[in-house]
């Protein structure tokens, strides 16, 4: 089950499943715990949802979720688990199986703490991957062991009910007390707690490859529905949005990014959007992606409705809601079909990864394999019709990236096109800006100033080495100390809107401290030491006082 590929150093990298399904004897009485190691807010862990679905499909009745909480140790600077998380881990030491996923490389200390308490835990994720030590000739460390899910688990449709959404209780209250909510007339007739029947214009399947419908799949679905009923809005306590990947990999091979190493070139998934949508399924039924495509073809699936409210709890919209994590959605040659599916079904979507704005001005072209890629005009037209939104569904927002400072004109050209020709606003854009890798501090601040002048929301992605250590520049030099302050100021939108960076107090405090230290350093220097540090060797001969200063310095010393 292992696969390898050769690195430039001649070392092998192993892509291997973190556990083997064949080695597990599943019993309905087994106690299983699933641990979200990073405890991410608002982003549910897709791998853990697949593991949960597989365990339940195998008949396991007790699956517990723990979201770890951590804090920073002031003495060492490392992050450590808080007392509540440690107590939670102690309570599961007798569980048959414990799975944990860590996304961020900074979580290494948490992994060790988990293993100290639950040594039989199965751990995976990019935060748990291993890397060879970085050599001086390399810009980044090479991966040694990349953890993966077993194929049987990878092909599972996620258990979207694993995470209890913060709005779950509100949704249940809405479906059971609709008369208490203000609902616009234009959407009153579309309210269906059993879900929204998807429209299928022509043969549009959301980018999915539809197989021959298996009678066994349909029979199983019907049997569960008759016996247990559908997990409708009145009983559903899980998240109401769908999430996942409709494609993996990326067509760009950027040296700072781990995606080409782990996922390779861009490739659409056979299930397209069907594996991302949160479908209304019978209670206790956990299908595979293949079965989802069969059920869609048979007309058995309805999209779970997400209720969008304002601060006054007034209902503004009821539709399906997707969070799509494709690395570069517009670069997928099947993206137009996916766009059309979402537009036709009026689906709200958050494309949460930074899209390549340069594609918005590209011409239609064919790949080496003869696949036709969409033109910039086609992409802009779809984006202008799409109901895109931010992470929370509270505002219209598209995410793009500006990684290389040198391509700024091309990035801005694409954004200008969306605004000037297709009616979007600059306030609709958020741009991820890679910093601390191949740009100077002056270029980073200039980039923020440009985006701010247009009213575009910037977000700095401060580069970190692939092994989790503090990031270094492309040439191996240290990052500018000012970058950390710039990152905190830009990414904290309250501070960003309230003050200028030059007036940001933490930055000013450290700047003053560094200036004072530098001043004290020179006050302690003798004239000779000062000249030694500040005058180059080739200029010494031009100084007539050099011999005299040297003699005086030797006598004093």
């Amino acid at each position: 089950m292992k696969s390898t590929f050769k690195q430039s150093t001649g070392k092998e990298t192993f892509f291997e499943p973190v556990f083997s399904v064949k080695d597990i004897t599943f019993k309905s009485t087994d106690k299983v715990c699933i641990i979200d190691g990073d405890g991410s807010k608002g982003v549910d862990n897709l791998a853990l949802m697949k593991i949960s679905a597989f365990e339940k499909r195998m008949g396991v009745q007790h699956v517990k979720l723990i979201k770890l909480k951590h804090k920073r140790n002031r003495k060492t600077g490392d992050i450590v688990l808080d007392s509540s998380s440690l107590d939670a881990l102690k309570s599961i030491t007798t569980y048959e199986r414990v799975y944990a996923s860590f996304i961020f490389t900074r979580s290494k200390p948490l992994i060790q703490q988990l293993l100290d308490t639950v040594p039989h835990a199965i751990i995976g994720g990019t935060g748990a991957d291993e890397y060879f030590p970085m050599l001086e000739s390399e810009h980044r460390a090479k991966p040694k062991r990349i953890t993966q899910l077993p194929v049987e688990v990878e092909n599972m449709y996620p258990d979207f009910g694993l995470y209890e959404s913060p709005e779950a209780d509100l949704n249940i209250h809405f479906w059971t007390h609709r008369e208490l909510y203000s609902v616009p007339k234009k959407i009153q007739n579309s309210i269906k707690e059993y879900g929204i029947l998807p429209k299928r214009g022509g043969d549009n399947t959301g980018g999915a490859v539809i197989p021959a419908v298996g009678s066994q799949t349909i029979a199983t679905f019907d049997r569960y529905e008759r016996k247990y009923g559908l997990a409708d809005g009145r009983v559903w306590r899980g998240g109401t949005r769908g999430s996942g990947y409709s494609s993996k990999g990326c067509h760009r091979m950027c040296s700072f990014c781990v995606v080409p190493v782990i996922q390779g070139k861009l490739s659409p998934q056979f299930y397209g959007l069907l594996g991302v949508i949160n479908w209304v399924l019978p209670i206790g039924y956990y299908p595979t992606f293949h079965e989802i495509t069969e059920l869609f073809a048979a007309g058995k699936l309805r999209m779970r409705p997400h209720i969008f409210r304002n601060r006054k709890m007034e209902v503004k919209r009821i539709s399906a809601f997707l969070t799509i994590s494709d690395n570069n959605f517009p670069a997928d040659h099947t993206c137009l079909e996916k766009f059309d599916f979402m537009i036709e079904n009026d689906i709200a979507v958050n494309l949460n990864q930074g899209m390549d704005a340069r594609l918005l001005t590209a011409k239609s072209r064919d790949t080496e394999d003869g696949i036709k890629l969409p033109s910039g005009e086609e992409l802009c037209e779809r984006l202008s019709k799409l109901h895109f939104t931010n992470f929370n569904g509270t505002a219209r927002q598209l995410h793009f990236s500006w990684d290389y400072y040198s391509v700024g004109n091309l990035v801005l050209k694409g954004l200008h096109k969306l605004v000037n020709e297709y009616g979007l606003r600059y306030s609709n854009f958020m741009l991820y800006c890679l910093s601390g890798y191949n740009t100077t501090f002056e270029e980073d601040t200039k980039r923020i100033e440009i985006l701010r002048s247009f009213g575009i929301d910037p977000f700095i992605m401060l580069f970190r080495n692939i092994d989790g250590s503090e990031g270094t520049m492309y040439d191996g030099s240290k990052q500018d100390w000012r970058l950390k302050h710039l990152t905190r100021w830009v990414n904290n939108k309250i501070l960003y809107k309230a003050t200028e960076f030059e007036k940001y107090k933490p930055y000013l405090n450290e700047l003053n401290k560094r200036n004072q230290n530098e001043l004290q350093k020179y006050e302690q220097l003798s004239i000779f030491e000062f000249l030694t540090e500040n005058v180059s060797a080739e200029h010494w001969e031009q100084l007539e006082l050099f011999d005299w200063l040297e003699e005086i310095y030797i006598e004093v010393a």
Side-chain angles (χ1 to χ4, degrees):
M1 296 179 71
K2 295 182 180 180
S3 61
T4 65
F5 70 87
K6 294 287 184 178
Q7 296 288 351
S8 59
T9 57
K11 300 175 182 177
E12 291 182 342
T13 296
F14 290 90
F15 291 81
E16 60 179 358
V18 289
F19 62 95
S20 173
V21 172
K22 297 178 181 178
D23 296 336
I24 301 176
T25 302
F26 296 92
K27 299 178 182 178
S28 61
T29 55
D30 286 348
K31 289 185 177 181
V32 175
C33 184
I34 292 177
I35 299 175
D36 189 331
D38 304 294
S40 303
K41 295 181 180 180
V43 181
D44 300 337
N45 190 298
L46 190 63
L48 295 181
M49 289 192 285
K50 290 183 179 182
I51 292 174
S52 174
F54 186 81
E55 286 280 353
K56 292 174 181 177
R57 183 183 176 95
M58 301 303 290
V60 175
Q61 302 295 317
H62 185 90
V63 177
K64 180 179 182 179
L65 172 68
I66 294 178
K67 297 183 74 172
L68 295 183
K69 298 179 180 179
H70 55 264
K71 57 185 179 180
R72 190 166 294 279
N73 187 316
R74 293 183 179 180
K75 294 183 179 179
T76 63
D78 291 333
I79 56 174
V80 295
L81 296 176
D82 66 5
S83 57
S84 63
S85 295
L86 290 172
D87 291 340
L89 293 181
K90 292 176 183 178
S91 68
I92 60 168
T93 54
T94 58
Y95 277 41
E96 278 78 11
R97 288 180 296 285
V98 177
Y99 304 95
S101 174
F102 292 85
I103 298 175
F104 302 109
T105 52
R106 64 169 183 262
S107 300
K108 297 289 185 184
L110 302 183
I111 295 176
Q112 189 56 52
Q113 281 188 280
L114 170 60
L115 290 174
D116 290 342
T117 309
V118 190
H120 66 287
I122 301 170
I123 301 175
T126 50
D129 292 342
E130 299 175 6
Y131 301 87
F132 292 109
M134 188 166 62
L135 304 176
E136 286 188 16
S137 58
E138 297 175 334
H139 299 306
R140 304 189 65 188
K142 295 291 189 293
K144 180 179 181 181
R145 175 178 174 268
I146 305 299
T147 57
Q148 291 184 319
L149 290 175
V151 175
E152 299 90 336
V153 180
E154 183 64 44
N155 288 331
M156 288 298 301
Y157 176 75
D159 175 14
F160 288 113
L162 176 65
Y163 287 84
E164 286 194 8
S165 169
E167 60 198 15
D169 291 336
L170 291 174
N171 284 322
I172 293 173
H173 190 267
F174 171 80
W175 291 117
T176 53
H177 300 88
R178 271 185 265 173
E179 69 280 0
L180 301 179
Y181 288 81
S182 173
V183 181
K185 290 184 179 180
K186 64 179 181 180
I187 63 173
Q188 282 181 356
N189 295 331
S190 68
I191 299 177
K192 296 179 181 179
E193 57 200 356
Y194 282 92
I196 305 167
L197 188 65
K199 300 176 183 178
R200 298 175 60 178
D203 295 326
N204 192 335
T205 60
V209 178
I210 303 297
V213 179
S215 58
Q216 183 62 38
T217 299
I218 308 304
T220 302
F221 181 94
D222 292 339
R223 184 174 72 252
Y224 271 88
E225 183 179 1
R226 287 193 301 268
K227 188 173 183 179
Y228 302 107
L230 294 174
D232 58 47
R234 295 168 300 178
V235 300
W236 182 252
R237 301 194 63 86
T240 57
R241 74 175 68 187
S243 62
Y245 299 86
S246 70
S247 68
K248 290 189 176 181
C250 185
H251 72 303
R252 306 282 187 191
M253 294 293 162
C254 301
S255 58
F256 59 82
C257 186
V258 73
V259 168
V261 176
I262 296 178
Q263 298 182 1
K265 294 183 178 180
L266 192 147
S267 60
Q269 299 299 288
F270 72 89
Y271 47 77
L273 287 181
L274 302 188
V276 181
I277 295 172
N278 191 343
W279 300 105
V280 179
L281 298 174
I283 297 173
Y285 177 62
Y286 299 96
T288 64
F289 285 127
H290 287 278
E291 289 167 342
I292 285 291
T293 58
E294 294 178 49
L295 292 169
F296 177 80
K300 290 288 184 178
L301 298 180
R302 292 176 180 268
M303 299 181 290
R304 188 172 301 284
H306 182 94
I307 304 165
F308 297 86
R309 305 175 179 87
N310 59 17
R311 293 182 179 179
K312 296 180 180 180
M313 302 308 295
E314 295 172 335
V315 177
K316 292 299 181 184
R317 179 185 177 87
I318 297 179
S319 71
F321 186 14
L322 303 184
T323 298
I324 299 180
S325 301
D326 293 21
N327 298 297
N328 200 342
F329 191 82
D332 174 10
H333 70 271
T334 66
C335 73
L336 295 183
E337 184 177 355
K338 296 172 184 176
F339 274 131
D340 290 340
F341 187 93
M342 291 186 286
I343 294 169
E344 185 176 7
N345 286 282
D346 195 28
I347 297 174
V349 59
N350 169 232
L351 299 165
N352 64 4
Q353 300 299 302
M355 295 183 286
D356 190 348
R358 290 172 288 181
L359 297 176
L360 301 178
T361 54
K363 295 181 179 180
S364 179
R365 60 211 182 281
D366 295 335
T367 65
E368 296 177 355
D369 302 326
I371 298 174
K372 186 175 182 179
L373 298 177
S375 67
E377 298 292 340
E378 292 172 312
L379 293 175
C380 289
E381 180 188 5
R382 272 27 174 231
L383 287 172
S384 67
K385 296 178 180 178
L386 184 69
H387 187 85
F388 53 83
T389 181
N390 62 1
F391 288 88
N392 300 320
T394 56
R396 286 172 60 78
Q397 191 173 70
L398 286 172
H399 301 89
F400 293 96
S401 61
W402 184 357
D403 295 324
Y404 294 104
Y405 183 81
S406 58
V407 300
N409 288 336
L410 293 175
V411 171
L412 293 173
K413 186 178 179 181
L415 302 183
H416 294 330
K417 184 175 182 178
L418 282 175
V419 172
N420 298 328
E421 299 180 28
Y422 291 90
L424 273 67
R425 300 178 179 178
Y426 289 113
S427 58
N428 293 147
F429 307 140
M430 175 200 270
L431 260 69
Y432 297 117
C433 301
L434 176 70
S435 301
Y437 179 68
N438 58 359
T439 52
T440 64
F441 178 76
E442 289 70 26
E443 289 174 332
D444 290 327
T445 53
K446 180 63 175 178
R447 183 164 44 176
I448 300 304
E449 291 172 3
I450 293 172
L451 296 178
R452 201 176 193 186
S453 67
F454 286 108
I456 299 173
D457 189 13
F459 190 93
I460 290 182
M461 305 292 288
L462 188 59
F463 176 75
R464 292 183 69 88
N465 292 327
I466 198 172
D467 58 1
S469 59
E470 185 173 342
T472 53
M473 298 291 288
Y474 185 79
D475 58 4
S477 61
K478 290 184 177 181
Q479 293 176 344
D480 193 306
W481 65 269
R482 295 172 291 180
L483 268 179
K484 290 184 178 179
H485 291 292
L486 184 67
T487 301
R488 294 190 187 107
W489 173 70
V490 169
N491 295 352
N492 187 321
K493 298 309 172 185
I494 296 177
L495 293 173
Y496 177 71
K497 294 178 181 179
T499 184
E500 301 293 328
F501 179 64
E502 291 75 13
K503 299 178 181 179
Y504 179 48
K505 286 187 177 180
Y507 164 67
L508 291 178
N509 291 341
E510 184 169 354
L511 179 62
N512 292 333
K513 185 177 179 180
R514 286 175 174 267
N515 288 339
Q516 290 176 0
N517 292 340
E518 197 70 19
L519 182 61
Q520 291 176 359
K521 174 183 175 182
Y522 284 118
E523 285 178 349
Q524 296 171 2
L525 289 176
S526 67
I527 296 176
F528 181 76
E529 290 170 322
F530 176 81
L531 292 173
T532 303
E533 283 198 3
N534 293 275
V535 180
S536 59
E538 57 268 24
H539 291 136
W540 275 115
E541 296 179 358
Q542 301 175 14
L543 295 176
E544 298 178 357
L545 296 177
F546 171 67
D547 294 335
W548 176 78
L549 284 171
E550 186 176 28
E551 291 177 6
I552 296 297
Y553 179 78
I554 294 174
E555 289 180 5
V556 173

